[in-house]
Amino acid sequence: MSEPGLKVLLVDAAGQSARELSDEILPRQAPTAELVRASSASDGISLLSNEAFHAMLLHVAADRTGLDVLEVAREITPHVPVIVLTDYAGLVVSDEAMRHGAAACLCPESVGPLGLLYAVRFAVERNRRKRLERVLDASRLEMRIARSIQERLLPWVPPMIPGASVAGASTPAETVSGDYYDYLTLPDGRFALAVGDASGHGLGPALLMAEVRACLRSSAMHMHDPAEILNATNELLAETMPDNRFVTLLLMCFDEVMA
């Protein structure tokens, strides 16, 4: 546990002194770590509620005294791993401690100072990985939702234009993209085809392209000249477009298709 800034809370909920144990483990084996000793179980809960810790060492007696502290700790700070310490006679509480959410249940006399130190380091690292996995899972879900929404913004059915065959598809390199195409019907009855690309990759350009679509469709509802439609769209986008972003947009109209 040589990582700088590591902070561990020691709570002796069994009513016995754990000072010798803590003096042996952290200051000598991990001098860069900070150990905070709680004077009582209630003091430990208060410290856990008001300060940030990477892990908690909880001394539980063989008669299960201290398991209630474990329950409270898991409720108020489920992200902080709790390692239960007990003596040989207290190993019978191991299964119960694990069921209550302990990261590990160890007998210090059996594993020794280094074994306990490694257990703390492992619990902290495993907890960090689990938190990262939850963040990644949430991010993946959000991106899947974003892709589903973006796919619905693209036209599903091409227009029927006499004398012409029209088809379109978009396959983003990532989950979402700034690519865009659309079919529009102008007020004078002509069909128009729009193809666009927002600078960059990922969610930002995808959001920008959704705004382009809204502005372009709004302008095309009241104008029939492609130049006017693009100028109106550009003016709408310029109000909110970031300085480091741009969109390349092509708008074509079918005046007449010869058989």
Side-chain angles (χ1 to χ4, degrees):
M1 192 159 42
S2 58
E3 299 87 348
L6 191 61
K7 190 175 181 180
V8 179
L9 175 64
L10 175 64
V11 179
D12 189 352
Q16 301 174 13
S17 174
R19 180 173 299 277
E20 292 183 3
L21 177 64
S22 63
D23 287 344
E24 177 68 22
I25 297 172
L26 292 180
R28 186 175 303 175
Q29 305 294 341
T32 59
E34 178 184 359
L35 179 69
V36 178
R37 303 178 183 85
S39 58
S40 63
S42 59
D43 180 46
I45 294 300
S46 178
L47 287 169
L48 198 61
S49 302
N50 295 287
E51 298 186 25
F53 293 95
H54 294 92
M56 174 180 175
L57 296 174
L58 176 64
H59 186 199
V60 175
D63 61 359
R64 295 178 173 77
T65 300
L67 283 179
D68 57 334
V69 178
L70 172 61
E71 294 182 28
V72 176
R74 299 301 297 157
E75 288 179 2
I76 61 177
T77 54
H79 59 281
V80 176
V82 179
I83 297 176
V84 170
L85 308 179
T86 187
D87 54 26
Y88 285 111
L91 286 177
V92 295
V93 307
S94 177
D95 290 342
E96 190 170 353
M98 298 300 289
R99 286 197 301 269
H100 284 77
C105 186
L106 306 172
C107 175
E109 293 82 357
S110 175
V111 300
L114 283 178
L116 185 53
L117 177 61
Y118 292 153
V120 173
R121 296 171 67 177
F122 179 79
V124 171
E125 178 61 23
R126 182 176 60 181
N127 184 67
R128 185 186 70 85
R129 289 200 304 269
K130 286 183 177 180
R131 295 179 66 181
L132 288 176
E133 288 172 358
R134 287 194 292 268
V135 172
L136 288 175
D137 289 343
S139 178
R140 293 190 187 103
L141 176 60
E142 291 178 356
M143 293 302 291
R144 287 197 296 269
I145 294 174
R147 176 156 189 175
S148 176
I149 293 174
Q150 186 176 45
E151 288 176 346
R152 291 179 179 274
L153 293 179
L154 297 174
W156 287 26
V157 180
M160 301 298 294
I161 302 177
S165 178
V166 181
S170 176
T171 304
E174 301 180 9
T175 306
V176 292
S177 71
D179 299 330
Y180 164 70
Y181 74 93
D182 205 354
Y183 310 124
L184 306 171
T185 301
L186 304 183
D188 58 7
R190 291 182 300 163
F191 291 103
L193 171 64
V195 179
D197 181 23
S199 61
H201 301 277
L203 186 57
L207 293 173
L208 181 57
M209 192 49 68
E211 185 177 5
V212 170
R213 177 184 184 274
C215 293
L216 182 64
R217 287 198 163 205
S218 176
S219 301
M221 290 178 61
H222 311 289
M223 304 174 185
H224 56 82
D225 181 76
E228 293 180 355
I229 294 173
L230 289 178
N231 283 333
T233 301
N234 186 65
E235 291 179 1
L236 292 172
L237 290 172
E239 298 177 359
T240 57
M241 181 78 71
D243 294 338
N244 61 341
R245 295 288 185 179
F246 65 91
V247 175
T248 302
L249 186 62
L250 172 67
L251 181 64
M252 301 178 293
C253 291
F254 290 88
D255 289 326
E256 184 177 356
V257 178
M258 301 300 295

Coordinates of all heavy atoms in Angstrom, one line a residue, residues 125-213:
E125 N -8.1 -1.8 -4.7 CA -8.0 -1.9 -6.1 C -9.2 -2.5 -6.8 O -9.7 -2.1 -7.8 CB -6.7 -2.7 -6.5 CG -6.5 -2.9 -8.0 CD -6.3 -1.6 -8.7 OE1 -6.0 -0.6 -8.1 OE2 -6.6 -1.6 -10.0
R126 N -9.7 -3.6 -6.1 CA -10.9 -4.2 -6.6 C -12.1 -3.3 -6.6 O -12.9 -3.2 -7.6 CB -11.2 -5.5 -5.8 CG -12.4 -6.3 -6.4 CD -12.6 -7.5 -5.6 NE -12.8 -7.3 -4.2 CZ -13.0 -8.3 -3.3 NH1 -13.0 -9.5 -3.7 NH2 -13.2 -8.0 -2.0
N127 N -12.2 -2.5 -5.5 CA -13.3 -1.6 -5.4 C -13.2 -0.5 -6.5 O -14.2 -0.1 -7.1 CB -13.3 -0.9 -4.1 CG -14.4 0.0 -3.9 OD1 -15.6 -0.4 -3.8 ND2 -14.2 1.3 -3.7
R128 N -11.9 0.0 -6.8 CA -11.7 1.0 -7.8 C -12.1 0.4 -9.2 O -12.8 1.1 -10.0 CB -10.3 1.4 -7.9 CG -9.9 2.5 -8.8 CD -8.5 2.7 -8.9 NE -7.8 1.6 -9.6 CZ -7.7 1.6 -10.9 NH1 -8.2 2.5 -11.7 NH2 -7.0 0.5 -11.4
R129 N -11.8 -0.8 -9.5 CA -12.2 -1.4 -10.8 C -13.7 -1.6 -10.9 O -14.2 -1.3 -12.0 CB -11.5 -2.8 -10.9 CG -10.0 -2.8 -11.1 CD -9.5 -4.1 -11.7 NE -9.9 -5.2 -10.9 CZ -9.1 -5.7 -10.0 NH1 -8.0 -5.2 -9.7 NH2 -9.5 -6.8 -9.3
K130 N -14.3 -2.0 -9.8 CA -15.8 -2.1 -9.9 C -16.5 -0.8 -10.1 O -17.4 -0.7 -10.9 CB -16.3 -2.7 -8.5 CG -16.0 -4.2 -8.4 CD -16.6 -4.7 -7.1 CE -16.4 -6.2 -7.0 NZ -17.0 -6.7 -5.7
R131 N -15.9 0.3 -9.5 CA -16.5 1.6 -9.7 C -16.3 2.0 -11.2 O -17.2 2.6 -11.8 CB -15.9 2.6 -8.8 CG -16.3 2.3 -7.3 CD -15.6 3.3 -6.4 NE -16.2 4.7 -6.5 CZ -15.8 5.7 -5.8 NH1 -14.8 5.6 -5.0 NH2 -16.3 6.9 -6.0
L132 N -15.1 1.8 -11.7 CA -14.9 2.1 -13.1 C -15.8 1.3 -14.1 O -16.3 1.8 -15.1 CB -13.4 1.8 -13.5 CG -12.4 2.8 -12.9 CD1 -11.0 2.4 -13.2 CD2 -12.6 4.2 -13.4
E133 N -16.0 0.0 -13.7 CA -16.9 -0.8 -14.5 C -18.3 -0.3 -14.5 O -19.0 -0.3 -15.6 CB -16.8 -2.2 -14.0 CG -15.5 -3.0 -14.3 CD -15.5 -4.3 -13.6 OE1 -16.4 -4.7 -12.9 OE2 -14.5 -5.0 -13.8
R134 N -18.8 0.2 -13.4 CA -20.1 0.8 -13.3 C -20.2 2.0 -14.2 O -21.2 2.2 -14.9 CB -20.5 1.0 -11.9 CG -20.8 -0.2 -11.1 CD -21.5 0.1 -9.8 NE -20.6 0.9 -8.9 CZ -19.9 0.3 -7.9 NH1 -19.8 -1.0 -7.8 NH2 -19.1 1.0 -7.1
V135 N -19.2 2.8 -14.1 CA -19.2 4.1 -14.9 C -19.2 3.7 -16.4 O -19.9 4.3 -17.2 CB -17.9 4.9 -14.6 CG1 -17.8 6.1 -15.5 CG2 -18.1 5.5 -13.1
L136 N -18.3 2.7 -16.8 CA -18.3 2.3 -18.2 C -19.6 1.7 -18.6 O -20.0 2.0 -19.8 CB -17.1 1.3 -18.4 CG -15.7 1.9 -18.3 CD1 -14.7 0.7 -18.4 CD2 -15.5 2.9 -19.4
D137 N -20.2 0.9 -17.8 CA -21.5 0.3 -18.2 C -22.5 1.4 -18.4 O -23.3 1.3 -19.3 CB -22.0 -0.7 -17.1 CG -21.1 -1.9 -17.0 OD1 -20.4 -2.2 -18.0 OD2 -21.2 -2.6 -16.0
A138 N -22.6 2.4 -17.5 CA -23.5 3.5 -17.7 C -23.2 4.3 -18.9 O -24.2 4.7 -19.7 CB -23.5 4.4 -16.4
S139 N -21.9 4.5 -19.2 CA -21.6 5.2 -20.4 C -22.0 4.4 -21.7 O -22.5 5.0 -22.6 CB -20.1 5.5 -20.4 OG -19.7 6.1 -21.6
R140 N -21.8 3.1 -21.7 CA -22.1 2.3 -22.8 C -23.6 2.3 -23.0 O -24.1 2.4 -24.2 CB -21.7 0.9 -22.6 CG -20.1 0.7 -22.6 CD -19.8 -0.8 -22.6 NE -18.4 -1.0 -22.5 CZ -17.8 -1.4 -21.3 NH1 -18.5 -1.6 -20.3 NH2 -16.5 -1.5 -21.3
L141 N -24.4 2.3 -21.9 CA -25.9 2.3 -22.1 C -26.3 3.7 -22.7 O -27.2 3.7 -23.5 CB -26.5 2.1 -20.7 CG -28.0 2.3 -20.6 CD1 -28.7 1.2 -21.6 CD2 -28.6 2.1 -19.2
E142 N -25.7 4.8 -22.2 CA -26.0 6.1 -22.7 C -25.7 6.2 -24.2 O -26.5 6.8 -25.0 CB -25.3 7.2 -21.9 CG -25.8 7.3 -20.5 CD -25.0 8.4 -19.8 OE1 -24.0 8.9 -20.3 OE2 -25.3 8.7 -18.6
M143 N -24.6 5.6 -24.6 CA -24.2 5.6 -26.0 C -25.1 4.8 -26.9 O -25.4 5.2 -28.0 CB -22.7 5.2 -26.2 CG -21.7 6.1 -25.5 SD -21.8 7.8 -26.2 CE -21.2 7.5 -27.9
R144 N -25.6 3.7 -26.3 CA -26.5 2.8 -27.1 C -27.8 3.6 -27.3 O -28.5 3.5 -28.4 CB -26.8 1.5 -26.4 CG -25.6 0.5 -26.5 CD -26.0 -0.9 -26.1 NE -26.5 -1.0 -24.8 CZ -25.7 -1.3 -23.8 NH1 -24.4 -1.5 -24.0 NH2 -26.2 -1.4 -22.5
I145 N -28.3 4.3 -26.2 CA -29.5 5.1 -26.4 C -29.3 6.2 -27.4 O -30.2 6.5 -28.2 CB -29.9 5.7 -25.0 CG1 -30.3 4.5 -24.0 CG2 -31.0 6.6 -25.1 CD1 -30.5 5.0 -22.6
A146 N -28.1 6.9 -27.3 CA -27.8 7.9 -28.3 C -27.8 7.4 -29.7 O -28.4 8.1 -30.6 CB -26.5 8.6 -27.9
R147 N -27.3 6.2 -29.9 CA -27.3 5.7 -31.3 C -28.7 5.4 -31.7 O -29.0 5.6 -32.9 CB -26.4 4.4 -31.3 CG -26.5 3.8 -32.7 CD -25.3 2.9 -33.0 NE -25.3 2.5 -34.4 CZ -24.3 1.8 -34.9 NH1 -23.2 1.5 -34.2 NH2 -24.3 1.4 -36.1
S148 N -29.5 4.8 -30.8 CA -30.9 4.5 -31.2 C -31.6 5.8 -31.6 O -32.4 5.8 -32.6 CB -31.6 3.8 -30.1 OG -33.0 3.6 -30.3
I149 N -31.4 6.9 -30.9 CA -32.1 8.1 -31.2 C -31.5 8.7 -32.5 O -32.3 9.1 -33.4 CB -31.8 9.2 -30.1 CG1 -32.5 8.7 -28.8 CG2 -32.3 10.6 -30.5 CD1 -32.2 9.6 -27.6
Q150 N -30.2 8.6 -32.7 CA -29.7 9.1 -34.0 C -30.2 8.3 -35.2 O -30.5 8.9 -36.2 CB -28.1 9.1 -33.9 CG -27.5 9.7 -35.2 CD -26.0 9.8 -35.1 OE1 -25.4 8.8 -34.7 NE2 -25.4 10.9 -35.4
E151 N -30.3 7.0 -35.0 CA -30.8 6.2 -36.2 C -32.2 6.6 -36.5 O -32.6 6.6 -37.7 CB -30.8 4.7 -35.8 CG -29.3 4.2 -35.7 CD -29.3 2.7 -35.3 OE1 -30.3 2.3 -34.7 OE2 -28.3 2.0 -35.5
R152 N -33.0 7.0 -35.5 CA -34.4 7.4 -35.8 C -34.5 8.8 -36.4 O -35.5 9.1 -37.0 CB -35.2 7.4 -34.5 CG -35.4 6.0 -33.9 CD -36.2 6.0 -32.6 NE -36.5 4.6 -32.2 CZ -37.5 3.9 -32.5 NH1 -38.4 4.4 -33.4 NH2 -37.6 2.7 -32.1
L153 N -33.4 9.6 -36.3 CA -33.4 10.9 -37.0 C -33.1 10.8 -38.5 O -33.4 11.7 -39.2 CB -32.3 11.8 -36.3 CG -32.6 12.2 -34.9 CD1 -31.5 13.1 -34.3 CD2 -33.9 13.0 -34.8
L154 N -32.5 9.6 -38.9 CA -32.3 9.4 -40.3 C -33.5 8.9 -41.0 O -34.3 8.2 -40.4 CB -31.1 8.5 -40.5 CG -29.7 8.9 -39.9 CD1 -28.7 7.8 -40.1 CD2 -29.3 10.2 -40.6
P155 N -33.7 9.2 -42.3 CA -34.9 8.7 -43.0 C -34.9 7.2 -43.1 O -33.9 6.6 -43.5 CB -34.9 9.5 -44.3 CG -33.4 9.8 -44.5 CD -32.9 10.1 -43.1
W156 N -36.0 6.6 -42.9 CA -36.1 5.2 -43.0 C -36.5 4.7 -44.4 O -36.2 3.7 -44.9 CB -37.1 4.6 -42.0 CG -36.6 4.6 -40.6 CD1 -35.7 5.5 -40.1 CD2 -37.0 3.8 -39.5 NE1 -35.4 5.2 -38.7 CE2 -36.3 4.2 -38.4 CE3 -38.0 2.8 -39.4 CZ2 -36.4 3.5 -37.1 CZ3 -38.1 2.1 -38.2 CH2 -37.4 2.5 -37.1
V157 N -37.4 5.6 -45.1 CA -37.9 5.2 -46.4 C -37.5 6.3 -47.4 O -37.8 7.5 -47.1 CB -39.4 5.0 -46.3 CG1 -40.0 4.7 -47.7 CG2 -39.8 4.0 -45.3
P158 N -36.9 6.0 -48.5 CA -36.6 7.0 -49.5 C -37.8 7.5 -50.2 O -38.8 6.8 -50.3 CB -35.6 6.3 -50.4 CG -36.0 4.9 -50.3 CD -36.4 4.7 -48.9
P159 N -37.7 8.7 -50.7 CA -38.9 9.3 -51.5 C -39.0 8.6 -52.8 O -38.1 8.1 -53.4 CB -38.5 10.7 -51.6 CG -37.0 10.8 -51.7 CD -36.6 9.7 -50.7
M160 N -40.3 8.6 -53.3 CA -40.5 8.0 -54.6 C -40.5 9.1 -55.6 O -41.4 10.0 -55.7 CB -41.9 7.3 -54.6 CG -42.1 6.2 -53.6 SD -40.9 4.8 -54.0 CE -41.5 4.3 -55.5
I161 N -39.4 9.2 -56.4 CA -39.2 10.2 -57.4 C -39.3 9.6 -58.8 O -38.5 8.7 -59.1 CB -37.8 10.9 -57.3 CG1 -37.7 11.5 -55.8 CG2 -37.6 12.0 -58.3 CD1 -36.4 12.1 -55.6
P162 N -40.3 10.0 -59.6 CA -40.4 9.5 -61.0 C -39.1 9.6 -61.8 O -38.5 10.6 -61.8 CB -41.5 10.3 -61.6 CG -42.3 10.8 -60.4 CD -41.3 11.1 -59.3
G163 N -38.7 8.5 -62.3 CA -37.5 8.5 -63.1 C -36.2 8.4 -62.4 O -35.1 8.5 -63.0
A164 N -36.2 8.3 -61.0 CA -35.0 8.2 -60.3 C -35.1 7.1 -59.2 O -36.2 6.8 -58.7 CB -34.7 9.6 -59.6
S165 N -34.0 6.6 -58.8 CA -33.9 5.6 -57.8 C -33.0 6.2 -56.7 O -31.9 6.5 -56.9 CB -33.3 4.3 -58.3 OG -33.2 3.3 -57.2
V166 N -33.6 6.3 -55.5 CA -32.9 7.0 -54.4 C -32.7 6.0 -53.2 O -33.7 5.3 -52.8 CB -33.7 8.2 -53.9 CG1 -32.9 8.9 -52.7 CG2 -33.9 9.2 -55.0
A167 N -31.6 5.9 -52.6 CA -31.3 5.1 -51.5 C -30.2 5.8 -50.6 O -29.4 6.5 -51.2 CB -30.9 3.7 -51.9
G168 N -30.2 5.5 -49.3 CA -29.2 6.1 -48.5 C -29.0 5.2 -47.3 O -29.8 4.4 -46.8
A169 N -27.8 5.3 -46.7 CA -27.4 4.6 -45.5 C -26.2 5.3 -44.8 O -25.5 6.1 -45.5 CB -27.0 3.2 -45.9
S170 N -26.1 5.1 -43.5 CA -25.1 5.8 -42.7 C -24.6 4.7 -41.7 O -25.4 4.2 -41.0 CB -25.6 7.0 -42.0 OG -24.6 7.6 -41.2
T171 N -23.3 4.5 -41.7 CA -22.7 3.6 -40.8 C -21.5 4.3 -40.1 O -20.5 4.5 -40.6 CB -22.1 2.3 -41.5 OG1 -23.1 1.7 -42.3 CG2 -21.5 1.3 -40.5
P172 N -21.8 4.7 -38.8 CA -20.8 5.5 -38.1 C -19.6 4.6 -37.7 O -19.7 3.4 -37.4 CB -21.5 5.9 -36.8 CG -22.6 4.9 -36.6 CD -23.0 4.5 -38.0
A173 N -18.4 5.2 -37.7 CA -17.2 4.5 -37.3 C -17.2 4.2 -35.8 O -16.7 3.2 -35.4 CB -16.0 5.3 -37.7
E174 N -17.9 5.1 -35.0 CA -18.0 4.8 -33.6 C -19.5 4.6 -33.3 O -20.3 4.4 -34.3 CB -17.5 6.0 -32.8 CG -16.0 6.3 -33.1 CD -15.5 7.5 -32.3 OE1 -16.2 8.0 -31.4 OE2 -14.4 7.9 -32.6
T175 N -19.9 4.6 -32.1 CA -21.3 4.3 -31.7 C -22.2 5.4 -32.4 O -23.3 5.0 -32.9 CB -21.5 4.3 -30.2 OG1 -20.6 3.4 -29.6 CG2 -22.9 3.9 -29.8
V176 N -21.8 6.6 -32.3 CA -22.6 7.7 -32.9 C -21.6 8.6 -33.7 O -20.4 8.5 -33.5 CB -23.3 8.6 -31.9 CG1 -24.4 7.8 -31.2 CG2 -22.4 9.1 -30.8
S177 N -22.1 9.4 -34.6 CA -21.3 10.2 -35.4 C -21.9 11.5 -35.8 O -23.1 11.7 -35.5 CB -20.8 9.4 -36.7 OG -22.0 9.3 -37.6
G178 N -21.2 12.3 -36.5 CA -21.8 13.6 -37.1 C -22.2 13.5 -38.5 O -22.5 14.5 -39.1
D179 N -22.3 12.3 -39.0 CA -22.8 12.1 -40.4 C -24.3 12.3 -40.5 O -25.0 11.9 -39.5 CB -22.4 10.7 -40.9 CG -20.9 10.5 -40.9 OD1 -20.2 11.5 -41.1 OD2 -20.4 9.4 -40.8
Y180 N -24.8 12.8 -41.6 CA -26.2 13.1 -41.7 C -26.6 13.1 -43.2 O -25.9 13.6 -44.1 CB -26.5 14.5 -41.1 CG -27.8 15.1 -41.4 CD1 -29.0 14.5 -41.0 CD2 -27.9 16.2 -42.2 CE1 -30.2 15.1 -41.3 CE2 -29.1 16.8 -42.5 CZ -30.3 16.2 -42.1 OH -31.5 16.8 -42.4
Y181 N -27.8 12.6 -43.4 CA -28.4 12.7 -44.7 C -29.9 12.8 -44.5 O -30.5 12.3 -43.5 CB -28.0 11.6 -45.7 CG -28.7 10.3 -45.4 CD1 -29.9 9.9 -46.0 CD2 -28.1 9.4 -44.6 CE1 -30.5 8.7 -45.8 CE2 -28.6 8.1 -44.3 CZ -29.8 7.8 -44.9 OH -30.4 6.6 -44.7
D182 N -30.6 13.4 -45.5 CA -32.1 13.6 -45.3 C -32.7 13.8 -46.6 O -32.1 14.2 -47.6 CB -32.3 14.8 -44.3 CG -33.7 14.6 -43.6 OD1 -34.4 13.7 -43.9 OD2 -33.9 15.5 -42.7
Y183 N -34.0 13.5 -46.7 CA -34.9 13.7 -47.8 C -35.9 14.8 -47.4 O -36.6 14.6 -46.4 CB -35.6 12.5 -48.3 CG -34.7 11.3 -48.5 CD1 -34.9 10.1 -47.8 CD2 -33.6 11.4 -49.3 CE1 -34.1 9.0 -48.0 CE2 -32.7 10.3 -49.5 CZ -33.0 9.1 -48.8 OH -32.2 8.0 -49.0
L184 N -36.0 15.8 -48.2 CA -36.9 16.9 -47.9 C -37.9 17.2 -49.0 O -37.6 17.0 -50.2 CB -36.2 18.2 -47.6 CG -35.1 18.1 -46.5 CD1 -34.2 19.4 -46.5 CD2 -35.7 17.8 -45.2
T185 N -39.1 17.6 -48.7 CA -40.1 18.0 -49.7 C -40.3 19.5 -49.5 O -40.7 20.0 -48.4 CB -41.4 17.3 -49.5 OG1 -41.2 15.9 -49.6 CG2 -42.4 17.7 -50.6
L186 N -40.0 20.3 -50.5 CA -40.0 21.7 -50.4 C -41.5 22.2 -50.7 O -42.3 21.5 -51.2 CB -39.1 22.4 -51.5 CG -37.6 21.9 -51.4 CD1 -36.8 22.7 -52.4 CD2 -37.1 22.1 -50.0
P187 N -41.8 23.5 -50.3 CA -43.1 24.0 -50.4 C -43.7 23.9 -51.8 O -44.9 23.8 -52.0 CB -43.0 25.4 -49.9 CG -41.9 25.4 -48.9 CD -40.9 24.4 -49.5
D188 N -42.8 24.0 -52.9 CA -43.3 24.0 -54.2 C -43.4 22.6 -54.8 O -43.7 22.4 -56.0 CB -42.3 24.8 -55.1 CG -40.9 24.3 -55.1 OD1 -40.6 23.2 -54.5 OD2 -40.0 24.9 -55.7
G189 N -43.2 21.6 -53.9 CA -43.4 20.2 -54.3 C -42.2 19.5 -54.8 O -42.2 18.2 -55.0
R190 N -41.1 20.1 -54.9 CA -39.8 19.5 -55.4 C -39.2 18.7 -54.2 O -39.4 19.0 -53.0 CB -38.8 20.5 -55.9 CG -39.2 21.2 -57.2 CD -38.1 22.1 -57.6 NE -37.9 23.2 -56.6 CZ -36.8 23.9 -56.6 NH1 -35.9 23.8 -57.5 NH2 -36.7 24.9 -55.7
F191 N -38.4 17.7 -54.6 CA -37.7 16.9 -53.6 C -36.3 17.5 -53.4 O -35.7 18.0 -54.4 CB -37.6 15.5 -54.0 CG -38.9 14.7 -54.0 CD1 -39.6 14.5 -55.1 CD2 -39.5 14.3 -52.7 CE1 -40.8 13.8 -55.1 CE2 -40.7 13.7 -52.7 CZ -41.4 13.4 -53.9
A192 N -35.7 17.4 -52.2 CA -34.4 17.9 -52.0 C -33.6 16.8 -51.2 O -34.2 16.0 -50.4 CB -34.4 19.2 -51.2
L193 N -32.4 16.7 -51.5 CA -31.5 15.7 -50.8 C -30.4 16.5 -50.0 O -29.7 17.3 -50.6 CB -30.8 14.8 -51.8 CG -29.7 13.9 -51.3 CD1 -30.3 12.9 -50.3 CD2 -29.1 13.1 -52.4
A194 N -30.3 16.2 -48.7 CA -29.3 16.9 -47.9 C -28.2 15.8 -47.4 O -28.6 14.7 -47.0 CB -29.9 17.5 -46.7
V195 N -27.0 16.2 -47.5 CA -25.9 15.4 -47.0 C -25.0 16.3 -46.2 O -24.5 17.3 -46.7 CB -25.1 14.7 -48.1 CG1 -24.0 13.9 -47.5 CG2 -26.0 13.9 -49.0
G196 N -24.7 15.9 -44.9 CA -23.9 16.7 -44.1 C -22.9 15.9 -43.2 O -23.0 14.7 -43.1
D197 N -21.9 16.6 -42.7 CA -20.9 16.0 -41.8 C -20.4 17.1 -40.9 O -19.9 18.1 -41.3 CB -19.7 15.5 -42.6 CG -18.7 14.8 -41.8 OD1 -19.0 14.4 -40.7 OD2 -17.5 14.7 -42.2
A198 N -20.6 16.8 -39.6 CA -20.1 17.7 -38.5 C -18.6 17.4 -38.2 O -18.3 16.2 -38.2 CB -20.9 17.7 -37.3
S199 N -17.8 18.4 -37.9 CA -16.4 18.1 -37.6 C -16.3 17.3 -36.3 O -17.0 17.5 -35.4 CB -15.6 19.4 -37.5 OG -16.2 20.3 -36.5
G200 N -15.3 16.5 -36.3 CA -15.0 15.7 -35.0 C -15.7 14.3 -35.1 O -16.2 13.9 -36.1
H201 N -15.6 13.6 -33.9 CA -16.1 12.3 -33.8 C -16.8 12.1 -32.5 O -16.5 12.8 -31.5 CB -15.0 11.2 -33.9 CG -14.2 11.3 -35.2 ND1 -14.7 10.7 -36.4 CD2 -13.1 11.9 -35.5 CE1 -13.8 10.9 -37.3 NE2 -12.8 11.6 -36.8
G202 N -17.8 11.2 -32.5 CA -18.5 10.9 -31.2 C -19.7 11.7 -30.9 O -20.4 12.1 -31.8
L203 N -20.0 11.8 -29.6 CA -21.3 12.3 -29.2 C -21.5 13.8 -29.5 O -22.6 14.2 -29.9 CB -21.5 12.1 -27.7 CG -22.9 12.4 -27.1 CD1 -24.0 11.7 -27.8 CD2 -22.9 12.1 -25.6
G204 N -20.4 14.6 -29.3 CA -20.6 16.0 -29.6 C -21.0 16.3 -31.0 O -22.0 17.0 -31.2
P205 N -20.3 15.8 -32.1 CA -20.8 16.0 -33.4 C -22.2 15.4 -33.7 O -22.9 16.0 -34.5 CB -19.7 15.3 -34.3 CG -18.5 15.3 -33.4 CD -19.0 15.2 -32.0
A206 N -22.5 14.3 -33.0 CA -23.9 13.8 -33.2 C -24.9 14.7 -32.7 O -26.0 14.9 -33.3 CB -24.0 12.4 -32.5
L207 N -24.7 15.4 -31.6 CA -25.6 16.4 -31.0 C -25.7 17.6 -32.0 O -26.8 18.1 -32.2 CB -25.2 16.8 -29.6 CG -25.3 15.8 -28.5 CD1 -24.7 16.3 -27.3 CD2 -26.7 15.3 -28.3
L208 N -24.6 18.0 -32.5 CA -24.5 19.1 -33.4 C -25.3 18.8 -34.7 O -26.1 19.6 -35.2 CB -23.1 19.4 -33.8 CG -22.9 20.6 -34.7 CD1 -23.5 21.9 -34.1 CD2 -21.4 20.8 -34.9
M209 N -25.2 17.6 -35.2 CA -25.9 17.2 -36.4 C -27.4 17.1 -36.2 O -28.2 17.4 -37.1 CB -25.3 15.9 -37.0 CG -25.8 15.6 -38.4 SD -25.6 17.0 -39.5 CE -23.8 17.0 -39.6
A210 N -27.8 16.8 -35.0 CA -29.2 16.8 -34.7 C -29.8 18.2 -34.7 O -30.9 18.4 -35.2 CB -29.5 16.2 -33.3
E211 N -29.0 19.2 -34.3 CA -29.4 20.6 -34.4 C -29.4 21.0 -35.8 O -30.3 21.8 -36.2 CB -28.4 21.4 -33.6 CG -28.8 22.9 -33.5 CD -27.9 23.7 -32.6 OE1 -26.9 23.2 -32.2 OE2 -28.2 24.9 -32.5
V212 N -28.5 20.6 -36.6 CA -28.4 20.9 -38.1 C -29.7 20.4 -38.7 O -30.4 21.1 -39.5 CB -27.2 20.3 -38.8 CG1 -27.3 20.4 -40.3 CG2 -25.9 21.0 -38.3
R213 N -30.1 19.2 -38.4 CA -31.3 18.6 -39.0 C -32.5 19.4 -38.7 O -33.4 19.7 -39.5 CB -31.5 17.2 -38.5 CG -32.8 16.5 -38.9 CD -32.9 15.1 -38.3 NE -34.0 14.4 -38.7 CZ -35.3 14.5 -38.2 NH1 -35.5 15.3 -37.2 NH2 -36.3 13.7 -38.7

